[in-house]
Amino acid sequence: MKNSISKYILVGMIAVGVTSCDLGDFGDTNVNPNQTTTAIPSSLLTNSINGLKGTIDDPTGSLYSQYLANSQYTSADNYQTIIFNYGGYYSGVLMDLEQIIIMNSNEETKSEASLYGSNANQIAVAQILQSYYFNFITDRWGDIPYSEALNIDEGIRQPSFDPQSEVYAGVLATLKTAQANISSTAPVQGDILFDGDMDMWRKFANTIRMKMALRMSEVDPTTAAAEFASAINDGVIALDNSENIFYANLPEAAFQNAWYARFLTRRDYAVANTLVDRMQTTANGGVLNVSMDPRLPEYADPTDIGGKYVGMPYGLSEARAGAISNSDVSFLNADLRAQAAPNYIFTSAQVLFSMAEAVQRGWISGDAEALYYQGIEASLEQYGVADGYAAYIANTYVQFDASKAVEQIVTQKWIANYLNGYESWAEWRRTGYPDLQPGEDALNDSKQIPVRQAYPLFELNLNSTNYDAVVARQGADGLDTPVWWDK
């Protein structure tokens, strides 16, 4: 793969005339003896894992998914931003991971690189992380630079855009190979995600495959069914919360929870009324549940006055939002915005709901209803409120109904995936569930919830030929052009 970021470097060389002195050879005078001149694979891996948190805690995804609503600056709720930048992924984590692969493949460097784990394990882990990032990027932008990305040695500075269908095929094939190449001997170093547990890397890869297979449910169900069954057969994370995958934030400024940092500057991210109403009223609204969703107090803080849970109306203009007092709405729960609170990437509840849908679609054998209820219970256990399970599932709209099983399953997955905004936005685009409505004061041209994001400006300015080609193939470069799997 070749470099996705067009790098134009102008090196200015100024010749200074010297008539009477010899500049001489300064040898290693300017060489720092304490600094390595060779990349360290374990450090590259650690840095690449640190990038995972940004795929989960980005507020835009949680605003699109209507988990949250801003109480002051509401332009993001109303889809004012059209262009989003993916350059940092290519020049940062993806390139770092490519260096790991090169160092462990090159005959001149692989021996030294093996000091940080077996060559095969390091390559497999780097490929799994690359696959995760490529999947994240393509689900936001659609067609992306892929086959001509990351390998600058071949001199490609303006990479073409691969159709999303081909990106999916390539990523799934890479994940399948990578998980098969992992061994328990000589685990990787620098692994702050699984602490060198190579079996968890295998399960991570297969869980990504499972998720990607579901994405294709409406556009290529035959391939999707086969890929889903293969991923389950190869082994995904455990179904009891013991292997939930999360980025562990630290109680220090450099690696702290982004939600903690945001609330240091202002109190703005309230819980959206879309979610709060769903969790304490019926699906049609207005009538109190038999029992409020026991996760609501874990998701939201009560209001300052009255101690109730009140959602912030979603999608209001800044003027209208400003007329609502902060004391009258519920904000993101204090525990979830604690400095060291984790960012969940995959949970057992998510896997159980995915399996329930796959059974309902006839992809795998099993009991969709049982898996659905297990998913709810696992989510409640994750948040320490499992004692409310029996009362919660007594609500009529929670009780499993085979005639609307997919809607119920995906809606419960949406609730369980709280704050994993981009993931839930993708699931909403794929299925139309839950029933989300755009904000009343939407600022984009269509006034509808976005279904993709526009390419960064450097593609238009520095890669115009390929940019024009992808726009002609995929559709207008804006918020309203669906990606390949969004049918």
Side-chain angles (χ1 to χ4, degrees), residues 38-42 44 99-123 186-189:
T38 304
I40 300 174
S42 60
L44 293 173
Q99 287 301 313
I100 294 174
I101 294 171
I102 292 171
M103 293 175 68
N104 282 277
S105 302
N106 191 306
E107 291 298 330
E108 296 179 359
T109 59
K110 63 189 301 185
S111 178
E112 182 178 354
S114 67
L115 296 173
Y116 303 95
S118 73
N119 298 133
N121 278 341
Q122 290 188 71
I123 291 170
V188 296
Q189 296 183 26

Side-chain angles (χ1 to χ4, degrees), residues 119-140:
N119 298 133
N121 278 341
Q122 290 188 71
I123 291 170
V125 165
Q127 290 174 330
I128 291 167
L129 279 174
Q130 278 189 340
S131 297
Y132 174 89
Y133 284 115
F134 275 126
N135 177 230
F136 176 76
I137 295 167
T138 191
D139 280 352
R140 289 176 61 183

Side-chain angles (χ1 to χ4, degrees), residues 11-121:
V11 181
M13 302 184 67
I14 303 175
V16 180
V18 180
T19 59
S20 60
C21 67
D22 184 359
L23 293 179
D25 181 2
F26 289 92
D28 61 0
T29 301
N30 293 320
V31 176
N32 183 352
N34 299 315
Q35 185 176 25
T36 181
T37 57
T38 304
I40 300 174
S42 60
S43 297
L44 293 173
L45 178 60
T46 301
N47 183 63
S48 300
I49 293 172
N50 278 326
L52 290 173
K53 69 191 306 292
T55 67
I56 305 299
D57 64 19
D58 187 313
T60 303
S62 286
L63 293 169
Y64 282 1
S65 300
Q66 299 185 23
Y67 288 143
L68 303 176
N70 279 302
S71 63
Q72 297 180 49
Y73 302 103
T74 65
S75 61
D77 309 43
N78 292 314
Y79 328 128
Q80 184 176 48
T81 302
I82 298 173
I83 297 171
F84 291 81
N85 191 2
Y86 54 46
Y89 289 109
Y90 285 94
S91 62
V93 292
L94 286 170
M95 189 62 73
D96 284 351
L97 293 165
E98 189 68 13
Q99 287 301 313
I100 294 174
I101 294 171
I102 292 171
M103 293 175 68
N104 282 277
S105 302
N106 191 306
E107 291 298 330
E108 296 179 359
T109 59
K110 63 189 301 185
S111 178
E112 182 178 354
S114 67
L115 296 173
Y116 303 95
S118 73
N119 298 133
N121 278 341

